[in-house]
Amino acid sequence: MDTETELMLDTTPTVYVRTIDAAEIMDQAASAGVKLDSDATLYAIHDENGQRMAVFSDREAAFAAARDHGAEPVSVH
């Protein structure tokens, strides 16, 4: 198998992890019964289209969750 064929067969989705301010999601968190410090830094997982999929309190948890769900996480600065 050549490299191009191998790349075409790789179906592991890439997701992007970036920091967000808790203030960005205060309304959603409150409606879900979650209390956040508005000054906190959180880590959000986004799909390839930029859609936020999940939010975590630390980077390691975000990366672990992405891998546990079969995705390849990368950092976005």
Side-chain angles (χ1 to χ4, degrees):
M1 204 178 318
D2 63 27
T3 304
E4 184 176 345
T5 303
E6 289 175 10
L7 290 173
M8 290 173 36
L9 293 175
D10 182 12
T11 58
T12 303
T14 299
V15 296
Y16 304 92
V17 178
R18 73 172 185 90
T19 59
I20 63 169
D21 294 326
E24 288 183 46
I25 63 166
M26 292 300 286
D27 291 339
Q28 293 126 329
S31 67
V34 176
K35 295 180 182 179
L36 295 174
D37 176 359
S38 63
D39 294 330
T41 298
L42 303 173
Y43 297 83
I45 298 175
H46 299 264
D47 68 12
E48 63 276 356
N49 296 319
Q51 178 71 36
R52 185 182 307 138
M53 300 168 59
V55 177
F56 295 86
S57 60
D58 64 77
R59 182 180 185 274
E60 292 78 21
F63 271 71
R67 288 187 186 108
D68 285 348
H69 287 89
E72 181 61 36
V74 294
S75 290
V76 175
H77 300 283

